[in-house]
Amino acid sequence: LLSFTQIENKAIKIKEESINLDVFCQNMIDAYQLKYPNFDIECKIDGIDYFKTDPVLLGSIFQNLIDNAYKYSNPDRKLLKISIKKFKKSLMMKFADRGIGIPSRDLDNIFKNGTITVQSVEGEGSEFTIELPYEI
């Protein structure tokens, strides 16, 4: 969230590269499955191969959401499903876990900037959706 605010305020300069999403995601998954062998991570990419963005910032998004999915899941529910697709003029990424969830009274205060949304049921898990402008 801090990075999004810094980008909006032009404090961080984005270094765009064309990223192969399949390779990027598989590298992230491989790194986490080495770190947490009991963590089941799946990634489905639909209708898009490359995305122009800053790989460091995209990596930060993935790391934060993957870390939280692992941290806030019970030992027998370490599962994360990542889905990526093109939606209108955006790239939509969803991170759905089976973690402890977030109380409904706290959901409106999680994200104040950008197009990040969350749906959560306490005790059942959370799904974070991120939309970023899409450009080839």
Side-chain angles (χ1 to χ4, degrees):
L1 293 178
L2 176 61
S3 293
F4 281 119
T5 302
Q6 291 173 325
I7 290 167
E8 286 176 350
N9 294 333
K10 309 275 191 250
I12 291 179
K13 294 190 181 198
I14 296 176
K15 298 172 187 145
E16 288 189 346
E17 286 178 30
S18 184
I19 295 173
N20 180 313
L21 287 170
D22 189 50
V23 171
F24 179 85
C25 289
Q26 195 56 55
N27 287 341
M28 295 294 293
I29 290 169
D30 290 347
Y32 274 91
Q33 290 184 326
L34 281 173
K35 187 176 179 180
Y36 305 118
N38 66 329
F39 196 13
D40 184 12
I41 307 173
E42 301 170 10
C43 184
K44 181 182 176 195
I45 302 170
D46 187 21
I48 183 168
D49 294 319
Y50 290 88
F51 180 58
K52 190 183 279 189
T53 190
D54 187 315
V56 174
L57 293 176
L58 186 62
S60 293
I61 292 169
F62 270 70
Q63 288 172 349
N64 185 275
L65 292 170
I66 294 171
D67 281 338
N68 283 344
Y70 185 83
K71 181 179 177 181
Y72 294 108
S73 295
N74 292 322
D76 60 337
R77 294 172 60 117
K78 301 284 187 194
L79 170 68
L80 177 64
K81 291 185 179 185
I82 302 168
S83 62
I84 301 172
K85 68 179 181 178
K86 191 174 169 195
F87 179 72
K88 298 180 182 177
K89 293 185 178 183
S90 296
L91 179 78
M92 183 181 292
M93 298 179 283
K94 292 187 179 189
F95 293 73
D97 65 39
R98 302 297 298 156
I100 61 172
I102 301 165
S104 58
R105 68 183 175 279
D106 295 332
L107 291 177
D108 289 339
N109 297 318
I110 293 177
F111 304 114
K112 295 288 185 186
N113 300 308
T115 54
I116 300 174
T117 58
V118 61
Q119 293 180 340
S120 184
V121 176
E122 196 169 1
E124 291 187 22
S126 304
E127 179 178 273
F128 293 84
T129 301
I130 300 144
E131 287 189 50
L132 301 172
Y134 173 71
E135 182 181 325
I136 297 176

